[in-house]
Amino acid sequence: KISIYTLMLERAILASDSYPEMKDTLNDILKKDRSVVGETFHFFLDPKPFLNESDDKKDLFVTGYNKALDVVFSINNGVVSEAKSFETAKLVPSSCDDENHMYVFSPIHDDEYSTGYLVFCDSFDPVRMRIIRSCQERIDVAFEKFIQNIRLKYLNKRVIELSHVDPLTHVKNRIAYEGKAEDVIDRIKNDPSYRFAVAMFDVNNLKVI
């Protein structure tokens, strides 16, 4: 059952187009079925690695997590928390009761970068711990692929942007103009009353400028 549950989480991560969408989808899944994670469970992510669209990880190469972590899902003694973020120093956003518990903090990684962690409560059974470890590793891989997809989208966007700009003047080039012209033509077809204007100008001594 845990394996099937983990597969659902994996698919949700990989099917998401953005970081906010991914968090919301995971939250919905965890809210609907809590039989696997139990009555006390926490799922936190550091937004920094997921919002870093470039392939340059130098900014992420820091000690520890961001000052605040995003709450993907948090439940304490059966009460689901509506908190969206919390101070990392607190470890978990909810207060603990007076009873003794054993908490297992399972980190999530993207290569050598920490991206968040899962917190399981009273999951000290050796068999269950092996299953938890296996699921955490699969979620790790899913997040790595998700981050790669985000960066690929960013790079594709940059390639398109660069192909539409003249490298000397940094103004839009003919490819960009033709794309805009096609957009205007489509709008006219759909709405004959659509109004637009074309402005043309010339700059003397452009090379000198």
Side-chain angles (χ1 to χ4, degrees), residues 6 11-12 17 27 39 47 57 80 90-91 101 122 149 151 159-160 172 180-181 195:
T6 305
R11 288 177 173 172
D17 290 326
N27 183 274
E39 292 299 292
K57 294 182 178 180
V80 176
K90 293 181 178 179
L91 296 179
H101 298 282
D122 298 333
N149 289 341
R151 288 175 185 148
V159 168
I160 293 171
K172 296 294 179 69
K180 186 64 178 176
R195 301 181 67 178

Side-chain angles (χ1 to χ4, degrees), residues 106-161:
S106 185
I108 302 169
H109 294 95
D110 173 23
D111 293 331
E112 69 269 43
Y113 302 98
S114 298
T115 55
Y117 55 89
L118 309 172
V119 183
F120 298 90
C121 182
D122 298 333
S123 303
F124 49 83
D125 178 81
V127 175
R128 182 170 168 80
M129 282 305 302
R130 281 201 296 274
I131 295 171
I132 287 172
R133 179 63 182 167
S134 173
C135 294
Q136 178 254 319
E137 288 174 351
R138 286 170 58 185
I139 291 172
D140 262 5
V141 172
F143 277 131
E144 283 181 28
K145 291 179 179 177
F146 174 79
I147 291 172
Q148 288 172 3
N149 289 341
I150 292 293
R151 288 175 185 148
L152 281 174
K153 286 179 183 178
Y154 169 77
L155 290 174
N156 288 334
K157 182 182 175 183
R158 287 290 297 139
V159 168
I160 293 171
E161 287 175 353

Side-chain angles (χ1 to χ4, degrees), residues 43-58:
F43 190 164
F44 309 125
L45 288 176
D46 187 342
K48 206 166 34 179
F50 296 93
L51 301 177
N52 179 54
E53 294 180 322
S54 71
D55 202 35
D56 186 3
K57 294 182 178 180
K58 284 188 292 186

Side-chain angles (χ1 to χ4, degrees), residues 14 41 54 61 103 119 130 154 161 167 172 186 199 207 209:
L14 295 174
F41 169 76
S54 71
F61 205 17
Y103 292 92
V119 183
R130 281 201 296 274
Y154 169 77
E161 287 175 353
K172 296 294 179 69
D186 289 339
K207 287 184 179 179
I209 293 169

